[in-house]
Amino acid sequence: MAKSPRTPAKGRTRWGLWLLAILALVVGATVWAFRTPITGYGSTAAAYSARVACSCRFVAGRSLKDCTRDKLAGMEAVTLRDDPEAKSVTARFPLVAEATATYREGYGCVLEPWEG
């Protein structure tokens, strides 16, 4: 009985799947190893952005779009959302942290307590 030859495309696909699995394992292990600093930086970035954007929005009276341009370099992943009725801004660092700052008369913008 003759052995059927393996097609090159099938062999490349198998290697590609193995490489993808190894890459996913390496990325997962790296994220797991650095989870504490990632969480810390994410929480800090969200809290800082919420506080600064709230001040920009409700103390300085600028639009949220205008305030978004004031983000520091490296904080591009942080997204901002405002609530004009509550006079608050929520900043979110994807999959890691979220923080809200609310304007309070006489105090300025104050971070809401969070469970950490």
Side-chain angles (χ1 to χ4, degrees):
M1 197 175 229
K3 203 173 182 183
S4 65
R6 249 174 43 180
T7 60
K10 194 173 192 176
R12 277 188 262 146
T13 303
R14 184 174 292 162
W15 277 105
L17 290 175
W18 274 107
L19 287 174
L20 188 60
I22 291 169
L23 179 64
L25 186 63
V26 168
V27 168
T30 302
V31 168
W32 178 257
F34 291 100
R35 70 189 177 281
T36 302
I38 290 170
T39 303
Y41 287 133
S43 297
T44 302
Y48 174 83
S49 296
R51 166 62 182 76
V52 169
C54 178
S55 294
C56 174
R57 178 81 174 94
F58 299 109
V59 175
R62 295 166 53 197
S63 71
L64 187 64
K65 185 176 181 179
D66 193 37
C67 295
T68 302
R69 294 186 306 189
D70 292 344
K71 283 196 242 178
L72 296 174
M75 294 186 134
E76 292 82 7
V78 177
T79 58
L80 300 172
R81 185 181 71 242
D82 68 338
D83 182 353
E85 290 181 18
K87 291 190 175 182
S88 68
V89 173
T90 301
R92 180 166 158 47
F93 190 89
L95 304 174
V96 177
E98 182 175 287
T100 301
T102 303
Y103 175 75
R104 294 190 182 152
E105 191 68 40
Y107 295 96
C109 287
V110 179
L111 284 172
E112 297 295 323
W114 71 88
E115 317 258 328

